[in-house]
Coordinates of all heavy atoms in Angstrom, one line a residue:
Q22 N -6.8 -10.1 13.3 CA -7.3 -9.5 14.5 C -6.4 -8.3 14.8 O -5.2 -8.5 15.2 CB -7.2 -10.5 15.6 CG -7.7 -10.0 17.0 CD -7.5 -10.9 18.1 OE1 -6.9 -12.0 18.0 NE2 -7.9 -10.5 19.3
V23 N -6.9 -7.1 14.8 CA -6.2 -5.9 15.2 C -6.2 -5.8 16.7 O -7.2 -5.9 17.4 CB -6.9 -4.7 14.6 CG1 -6.1 -3.4 15.0 CG2 -6.9 -4.8 13.0
V24 N -5.0 -5.7 17.2 CA -4.8 -5.5 18.7 C -4.2 -4.1 18.9 O -3.7 -3.5 18.1 CB -3.9 -6.6 19.3 CG1 -4.4 -8.0 19.0 CG2 -2.5 -6.6 18.7
P25 N -4.5 -3.6 20.2 CA -3.9 -2.3 20.5 C -2.4 -2.2 20.4 O -1.8 -3.2 20.8 CB -4.4 -2.1 21.9 CG -5.5 -3.0 22.2 CD -5.2 -4.2 21.3
L26 N -1.9 -1.1 20.0 CA -0.5 -0.9 19.9 C 0.0 -0.3 21.2 O 0.0 0.8 21.5 CB -0.1 0.1 18.8 CG 1.4 0.4 18.6 CD1 2.2 -0.9 18.2 CD2 1.5 1.4 17.4
T27 N 0.5 -1.3 22.1 CA 1.0 -0.9 23.4 C 2.5 -0.4 23.2 O 3.1 -0.6 22.2 CB 1.0 -2.1 24.3 OG1 1.9 -3.1 23.7 CG2 -0.4 -2.7 24.4
N28 N 3.0 0.2 24.3 CA 4.4 0.6 24.3 C 5.3 -0.5 24.1 O 6.3 -0.4 23.4 CB 4.8 1.3 25.5 CG 4.1 2.7 25.6 OD1 3.8 3.3 24.6 ND2 3.9 3.3 26.8
E29 N 5.0 -1.7 24.7 CA 5.8 -2.9 24.5 C 5.8 -3.4 23.0 O 6.9 -3.7 22.5 CB 5.2 -4.0 25.4 CG 6.0 -5.3 25.3 CD 5.4 -6.4 26.1 OE1 4.8 -6.1 27.2 OE2 5.3 -7.5 25.6
L30 N 4.7 -3.3 22.4 CA 4.6 -3.7 20.9 C 5.3 -2.7 20.1 O 6.0 -3.1 19.1 CB 3.2 -4.0 20.5 CG 2.6 -5.2 20.9 CD1 1.0 -5.3 20.5 CD2 3.3 -6.4 20.3
R31 N 5.2 -1.4 20.4 CA 5.9 -0.4 19.6 C 7.4 -0.7 19.6 O 8.1 -0.6 18.6 CB 5.7 1.0 20.3 CG 4.6 1.7 19.8 CD 4.6 3.2 20.3 NE 3.4 3.9 20.1 CZ 3.2 4.6 19.0 NH1 4.1 4.8 18.1 NH2 2.1 5.2 18.8
Q32 N 8.0 -1.0 20.8 CA 9.4 -1.3 20.9 C 9.8 -2.6 20.1 O 10.7 -2.7 19.4 CB 9.8 -1.4 22.4 CG 9.9 0.0 23.1 CD 10.3 -0.1 24.5 OE1 10.0 -1.2 25.2 NE2 10.8 0.9 25.0
K33 N 9.0 -3.6 20.4 CA 9.2 -4.9 19.8 C 9.2 -4.9 18.3 O 10.1 -5.5 17.6 CB 8.2 -6.0 20.2 CG 8.3 -7.3 19.6 CD 7.2 -8.2 20.0 CE 7.2 -9.5 19.1 NZ 6.0 -10.3 19.3
L34 N 8.3 -4.1 17.7 CA 8.1 -4.0 16.2 C 8.9 -2.8 15.7 O 8.8 -2.6 14.4 CB 6.6 -3.9 15.9 CG 5.8 -5.1 16.3 CD1 4.3 -4.8 16.1 CD2 6.2 -6.4 15.7
N35 N 9.6 -2.1 16.5 CA 10.4 -1.0 16.0 C 9.5 0.1 15.3 O 9.8 0.5 14.3 CB 11.5 -1.4 15.1 CG 12.6 -0.4 14.9 OD1 12.8 0.5 15.8 ND2 13.3 -0.5 13.8
L36 N 8.4 0.4 16.0 CA 7.5 1.4 15.4 C 7.6 2.7 16.2 O 6.5 3.3 16.5 CB 6.1 0.8 15.5 CG 5.8 -0.4 14.6 CD1 4.4 -0.9 14.8 CD2 6.1 -0.1 13.1
E37 N 8.8 3.1 16.5 CA 9.0 4.4 17.2 C 9.9 5.2 16.4 O 10.6 4.7 15.5 CB 9.7 4.1 18.6 CG 8.9 3.2 19.5 CD 9.6 2.9 20.8 OE1 10.7 2.3 20.7 OE2 9.1 3.2 21.9
G38 N 10.0 6.5 16.7 CA 10.8 7.5 16.1 C 10.3 8.0 14.8 O 9.0 8.0 14.6
P39 N 11.1 8.5 13.9 CA 10.7 9.3 12.8 C 10.1 8.3 11.7 O 10.3 7.1 11.7 CB 11.9 9.9 12.2 CG 13.0 9.0 12.7 CD 12.6 8.5 14.0
M40 N 9.4 8.9 10.7 CA 8.9 8.1 9.6 C 10.0 7.4 8.8 O 11.1 8.0 8.6 CB 8.1 9.0 8.6 CG 7.5 8.2 7.5 SD 6.4 9.1 6.4 CE 5.1 9.6 7.5
R41 N 9.8 6.1 8.6 CA 10.8 5.3 7.9 C 10.3 4.6 6.7 O 11.0 3.8 6.1 CB 11.4 4.4 8.9 CG 12.2 5.0 10.0 CD 12.8 4.0 10.9 NE 11.9 3.1 11.5 CZ 11.2 3.3 12.7 NH1 11.3 4.4 13.3 NH2 10.4 2.4 13.1
G42 N 9.0 4.8 6.4 CA 8.5 4.1 5.2 C 7.3 4.8 4.6 O 6.5 5.4 5.3
L43 N 7.1 4.6 3.3 CA 6.0 5.1 2.6 C 5.6 4.1 1.5 O 6.5 3.6 0.8 CB 6.5 6.5 1.9 CG 5.5 7.1 0.9 CD1 4.3 7.7 1.6 CD2 6.2 8.2 0.1
V44 N 4.3 3.8 1.5 CA 3.8 3.0 0.4 C 2.8 3.7 -0.3 O 1.9 4.2 0.3 CB 3.2 1.6 1.1 CG1 2.6 0.8 0.0 CG2 4.3 0.9 1.8
V45 N 2.9 3.7 -1.6 CA 1.8 4.3 -2.5 C 1.0 3.2 -3.1 O 1.6 2.3 -3.8 CB 2.5 5.2 -3.6 CG1 1.5 5.9 -4.4 CG2 3.5 6.2 -2.9
L46 N -0.2 3.2 -3.0 CA -1.2 2.2 -3.6 C -1.7 2.9 -4.9 O -2.0 4.0 -5.0 CB -2.3 1.9 -2.6 CG -1.9 1.3 -1.3 CD1 -3.0 1.3 -0.3 CD2 -1.2 0.0 -1.5
M47 N -2.0 2.0 -5.8 CA -2.4 2.4 -7.2 C -3.3 1.3 -7.8 O -2.9 0.2 -7.7 CB -1.2 2.8 -8.0 CG -1.5 3.5 -9.3 SD 0.0 4.0 -10.0 CE -0.6 4.5 -11.6
V48 N -4.3 1.7 -8.6 CA -5.0 0.8 -9.5 C -4.3 0.7 -10.8 O -3.9 1.8 -11.4 CB -6.4 1.3 -9.7 CG1 -7.2 0.4 -10.6 CG2 -7.1 1.4 -8.3
I49 N -3.9 -0.5 -11.2 CA -3.2 -0.6 -12.5 C -4.1 -0.8 -13.6 O -4.0 -0.2 -14.7 CB -2.2 -1.8 -12.3 CG1 -1.3 -1.6 -11.2 CG2 -1.5 -2.1 -13.6 CD1 -0.5 -2.8 -10.8
R50 N -5.1 -1.7 -13.5 CA -6.0 -2.1 -14.6 C -7.3 -2.5 -14.1 O -7.4 -3.1 -13.0 CB -5.3 -3.2 -15.4 CG -6.1 -3.7 -16.6 CD -5.3 -4.8 -17.3 NE -6.1 -5.4 -18.3 CZ -6.2 -5.0 -19.6 NH1 -5.5 -3.9 -20.0 NH2 -6.9 -5.6 -20.5
V51 N -8.3 -2.1 -14.8 CA -9.8 -2.5 -14.4 C -10.4 -3.0 -15.7 O -10.3 -2.3 -16.7 CB -10.6 -1.4 -13.9 CG1 -12.0 -1.8 -13.6 CG2 -10.0 -0.8 -12.6
E52 N -11.1 -4.2 -15.6 CA -11.8 -4.7 -16.8 C -13.3 -4.7 -16.4 O -13.7 -5.2 -15.4 CB -11.4 -6.2 -17.1 CG -9.9 -6.3 -17.5 CD -9.5 -7.7 -17.6 OE1 -10.3 -8.6 -17.8 OE2 -8.2 -7.9 -17.5
F53 N -14.1 -4.1 -17.3 CA -15.5 -4.0 -17.1 C -16.2 -5.2 -17.7 O -15.8 -5.8 -18.6 CB -16.0 -2.7 -17.6 CG -15.4 -1.5 -17.0 CD1 -14.3 -0.8 -17.6 CD2 -15.8 -1.0 -15.8 CE1 -13.7 0.3 -17.0 CE2 -15.2 0.1 -15.2 CZ -14.1 0.7 -15.8
T54 N -17.5 -5.4 -17.2 CA -18.3 -6.5 -17.7 C -18.7 -6.3 -19.2 O -18.9 -7.3 -20.0 CB -19.5 -6.8 -16.9 OG1 -20.3 -5.5 -16.8 CG2 -19.2 -7.2 -15.5
D55 N -18.6 -5.0 -19.7 CA -18.9 -4.8 -21.1 C -17.7 -4.9 -22.0 O -17.8 -4.7 -23.2 CB -19.6 -3.4 -21.3 CG -18.6 -2.3 -21.0 OD1 -17.4 -2.5 -20.7 OD2 -19.0 -1.1 -21.1
G56 N -16.6 -5.3 -21.5 CA -15.4 -5.6 -22.3 C -14.4 -4.4 -22.4 O -13.3 -4.6 -22.9
T57 N -14.8 -3.2 -21.9 CA -13.9 -2.1 -21.9 C -12.9 -2.2 -20.8 O -13.1 -2.9 -19.8 CB -14.7 -0.7 -21.9 OG1 -15.5 -0.7 -20.7 CG2 -15.6 -0.6 -23.1
V58 N -11.8 -1.3 -20.9 CA -10.8 -1.4 -19.9 C -10.3 0.0 -19.5 O -10.2 0.9 -20.3 CB -9.6 -2.2 -20.5 CG1 -8.4 -2.2 -19.6 CG2 -10.0 -3.7 -20.8
Y59 N -9.9 0.1 -18.2 CA -9.2 1.3 -17.7 C -7.8 0.7 -17.5 O -7.6 -0.3 -16.8 CB -9.8 1.8 -16.4 CG -8.9 2.7 -15.6 CD1 -8.9 4.1 -15.9 CD2 -8.0 2.2 -14.6 CE1 -8.1 5.0 -15.2 CE2 -7.2 3.1 -14.0 CZ -7.2 4.5 -14.3 OH -6.4 5.3 -13.6
D60 N -6.8 1.4 -18.0 CA -5.4 0.9 -17.9 C -4.5 2.1 -17.5 O -4.4 3.1 -18.3 CB -5.0 0.3 -19.2 CG -3.7 -0.4 -19.2 OD1 -3.0 -0.2 -18.2 OD2 -3.4 -1.2 -20.1
D61 N -3.8 2.0 -16.4 CA -2.8 2.9 -16.0 C -1.5 2.2 -15.7 O -0.7 2.7 -14.8 CB -3.3 3.7 -14.7 CG -2.8 5.1 -14.6 OD1 -2.0 5.5 -15.5 OD2 -3.1 5.7 -13.6
E62 N -1.2 1.2 -16.4 CA 0.0 0.4 -16.1 C 1.3 1.2 -16.5 O 2.3 1.1 -15.8 CB 0.1 -0.9 -17.0 CG 1.2 -1.8 -16.7 CD 1.1 -3.2 -17.3 OE1 0.2 -3.4 -18.2 OE2 2.0 -4.1 -17.0
K63 N 1.3 2.1 -17.4 CA 2.5 2.9 -17.8 C 2.8 3.8 -16.6 O 4.0 3.8 -16.2 CB 2.2 3.7 -19.1 CG 3.3 4.5 -19.5 CD 3.0 5.3 -20.8 CE 4.2 6.2 -21.2 NZ 3.8 6.9 -22.4
T64 N 1.9 4.3 -15.9 CA 2.1 5.2 -14.8 C 2.6 4.3 -13.6 O 3.5 4.7 -12.9 CB 0.9 6.0 -14.4 OG1 0.4 6.7 -15.5 CG2 1.1 7.0 -13.2
Y65 N 2.0 3.2 -13.4 CA 2.4 2.3 -12.3 C 3.9 1.9 -12.5 O 4.6 2.0 -11.5 CB 1.5 1.1 -12.3 CG 2.0 0.1 -11.3 CD1 1.8 0.3 -9.9 CD2 2.6 -1.1 -11.6 CE1 2.2 -0.6 -8.9 CE2 3.1 -2.0 -10.7 CZ 2.9 -1.7 -9.3 OH 3.4 -2.5 -8.4
K66 N 4.2 1.5 -13.7 CA 5.6 1.1 -13.9 C 6.6 2.2 -13.6 O 7.7 2.1 -13.1 CB 5.8 0.5 -15.3 CG 5.2 -0.9 -15.4 CD 5.4 -1.4 -16.8 CE 4.9 -2.8 -17.0 NZ 5.1 -3.4 -18.3
A67 N 6.2 3.4 -14.1 CA 7.1 4.6 -13.8 C 7.2 5.0 -12.4 O 8.3 5.3 -11.9 CB 6.5 5.8 -14.6
M68 N 6.1 4.8 -11.6 CA 6.2 5.0 -10.2 C 7.1 4.0 -9.5 O 8.0 4.4 -8.7 CB 4.8 4.9 -9.6 CG 4.9 5.1 -8.0 SD 3.3 4.7 -7.1 CE 3.0 3.0 -7.4
V69 N 7.0 2.7 -9.8 CA 7.8 1.7 -9.2 C 9.3 1.9 -9.5 O 10.1 1.9 -8.7 CB 7.4 0.3 -9.6 CG1 8.4 -0.7 -9.2 CG2 6.0 0.0 -9.1

């Protein structure tokens, strides 16, 4: 359940001030019903 971000919650959760985090999302591998594969694991491991 997403609730509004109030000033009180900002302080409690320490969500004030400058940027302090970055998360990069990536698809590592996809398997198709025909048996073929998309694979980007090498790039994923390099990013991590």
Side-chain angles (χ1 to χ4, degrees):
Q22 177 187 4
V23 178
V24 298
L26 181 59
T27 63
N28 288 336
E29 180 183 320
L30 283 174
R31 269 186 191 269
Q32 288 178 334
K33 175 185 173 187
L34 300 174
N35 197 23
L36 296 176
E37 299 177 303
M40 184 176 291
R41 295 183 303 274
L43 173 70
V44 175
V45 181
L46 301 170
M47 188 172 173
V48 176
I49 301 169
R50 182 179 171 87
V51 177
E52 298 174 22
F53 300 99
T54 55
D55 68 2
T57 58
V58 172
Y59 166 86
D60 188 346
D61 207 4
E62 186 171 7
K63 181 177 178 182
T64 305
Y65 174 73
K66 286 181 176 181
M68 176 189 65
V69 170

